[in-house]
């Protein structure tokens, strides 16, 4: 029998954020602030990802393990979120999981045969390194890995 490589786990720590696709960012921010009681902690435009986005935090948050709602408005029709809105309309777009080491997490998912969209980390919201797994390999769920800033691996 050939020796099996030891199975590695990707080291998922928690859900960092859920990404929600919308047509009008200002309108959805107002809704999540007024009705859900969340607070905007970051607003950025990410040209590489084709989005304008806002991160919202919870009033009863846990400071050592934050999680967010990420609202996403496309920069144009030919972007991931633009195409998603055209095909499916507004709604849940992706789930982002926090990992302590995104390179190790990508290696683990790759070794498990999961289809990667990003082989290398990219620049994400609030200084994080991010990488996406293809929804076709995750039961229809677009999945994002998030390494918050302050760890060793860097986006490139
Ligand atoms: C597309 N599909 C999805 C999906 N988007 N399924 C589940 N969830 C989604 N969000 C399905 C779609 O229905 C098709 O299924 C198939 O994938 C191909 O879709 P497509 O419209 O032809 O689009 P593609 O293939 O050009 O692009 C789809 C992928 C693309 C997922 C590859 O959206 C991508 O690269 N996404 C990663 C980047 C991203 O989403 N950035 C925006 C967030 P059928 O019809 O074939 O069954 S940026 C972010 O979160 C940041 C900055 C952060 O958190 O810091
Ligand atoms: Co995201």
């Amino acid at each position: 029998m050939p020796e099996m490589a030891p199975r590695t786990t990707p080291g998922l720590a928690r859900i960092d954020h859920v990404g929600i696709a919308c047509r009008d960012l200002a309108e959805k921010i107002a809704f999540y602030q007024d009705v859900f009681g969340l607070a905007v902690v970051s607003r950025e435009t990410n040209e590489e990802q084709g989005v304008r986005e806002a991160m919202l935090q919870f009033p009863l948050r846990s400071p050592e393990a934050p999680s967010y709602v990420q609202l996403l408005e496309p920069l144009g029709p030919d972007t991931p979120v633009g195409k998603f809105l055209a095909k499916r309309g507004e709604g849940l777009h992706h789930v982002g999981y926090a990992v302590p080491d995104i390179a190790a997490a990508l290696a683990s998912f790759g070794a498990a045969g999961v289809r990667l969209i990003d082989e290398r980390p990219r620049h994400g919201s609030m200084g994080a390194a991010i990488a996406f797994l293809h929804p076709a390999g995750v039961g229809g769920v677009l999945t994002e890995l998030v390494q918050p800033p302050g760890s060793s691996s860097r986006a490139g």
Side-chain angles (χ1 to χ4, degrees):
M1 285 256 290
E3 260 193 40
M4 300 283 283
R7 180 191 282 268
T8 60
T9 62
L12 303 185
R14 60 190 159 78
I15 290 178
D16 181 88
H17 66 271
V18 290
I20 296 173
C22 64
R23 295 202 163 85
D24 185 334
L25 186 60
E27 181 193 286
K28 283 298 180 297
I29 286 174
F31 176 78
Y32 275 92
Q33 282 181 330
D34 297 348
V35 182
F36 278 56
L38 305 190
V40 175
V41 291
S42 162
R43 292 186 66 149
E44 292 178 33
T45 296
N46 188 321
E47 300 277 349
E48 184 181 35
Q49 299 294 334
V51 292
R52 232 186 314 276
E53 51 92 10
M55 287 292 206
L56 291 86
Q57 244 189 22
F58 302 87
L60 303 176
R61 66 189 177 275
S62 145
E64 69 285 355
S67 59
Y68 307 91
V69 169
Q70 180 177 43
L71 300 176
L72 303 154
E73 182 191 277
L75 292 178
D78 198 19
T79 60
V81 175
K83 288 168 79 173
F84 180 90
L85 285 174
K87 274 194 178 168
R88 302 185 180 205
E90 295 189 314
L92 189 58
H93 182 260
H94 65 267
V95 177
Y97 295 90
V99 294
D101 182 340
I102 196 166
L106 278 171
S108 170
F109 280 111
V114 175
R115 182 168 159 197
L116 310 179
I117 292 173
D118 300 306
E119 304 268 345
R120 289 161 42 81
R122 305 196 180 278
H123 294 289
S125 186
M126 300 189 291
I130 62 170
F132 285 90
L133 310 178
H134 201 283
V138 195
V141 180
L142 177 60
T143 300
E144 179 184 346
L145 307 174
V146 182
Q147 181 182 325
S151 325
S152 54
S153 306
R154 298 199 55 85

